[in-house]
Amino acid sequence: GAPMPNARDIMTKDPITVRPDATVKEAFSILQSMDIRHLPVVSGERELVGMVSDRDLRGISIPRLIDERWFGDLRMAMQEKIASIMTADVLSVDVETDVTEIIELMLEHKIGALPVTDGDGGLVGIVSYMDVLRELAVLAADAAQ
């Protein structure tokens, strides 16, 4: 049959990114307005340095206890640099990584998205679990033909 699709086939190319010195508030508004759940953090040209997910940000935005003190904390938290809450040691794949391996990595590490890098560690795309599911649906439909 056809070769197994790889990261290049299913990734979102040139994803929206944020720089390490962007504020939490900026990252928040990007995730909300673009309706995405994962934001790669890149420095310089396109060097991948971290990932921020809606889950990271939800931890900040949901209060443990609602009192005056907390509202002050939230205002401060929103001004924090994204570098302070991002996952810095990011798992990534390259464009040739096939879908089965991507699924294994997502399950093993319980992550919903993997950045895709080129040979120099430059970000070229992102694969989310939605992309994987979409691809699997296509493969299943083809198999049923």
Side-chain angles (χ1 to χ4, degrees), residues 10-29:
I10 67 170
M11 71 185 189
T12 299
K13 293 174 183 62
D14 300 322
I16 299 158
T17 60
V18 69
R19 300 175 81 76
D21 60 355
T23 62
V24 167
K25 187 178 179 185
E26 288 171 69
F28 219 91
S29 59

Side-chain angles (χ1 to χ4, degrees), residues 24 28 31-32 36-37 52-64 70 74 78 85:
V24 167
F28 219 91
L31 287 172
Q32 283 184 315
I36 52 178
R37 297 180 64 169
V52 176
S53 73
D54 59 348
R55 200 185 298 159
D56 300 329
L57 295 177
R58 244 194 336 264
I60 290 175
S61 65
I62 296 176
R64 304 285 171 266
W70 178 78
L74 181 65
M78 283 295 182
I85 67 154

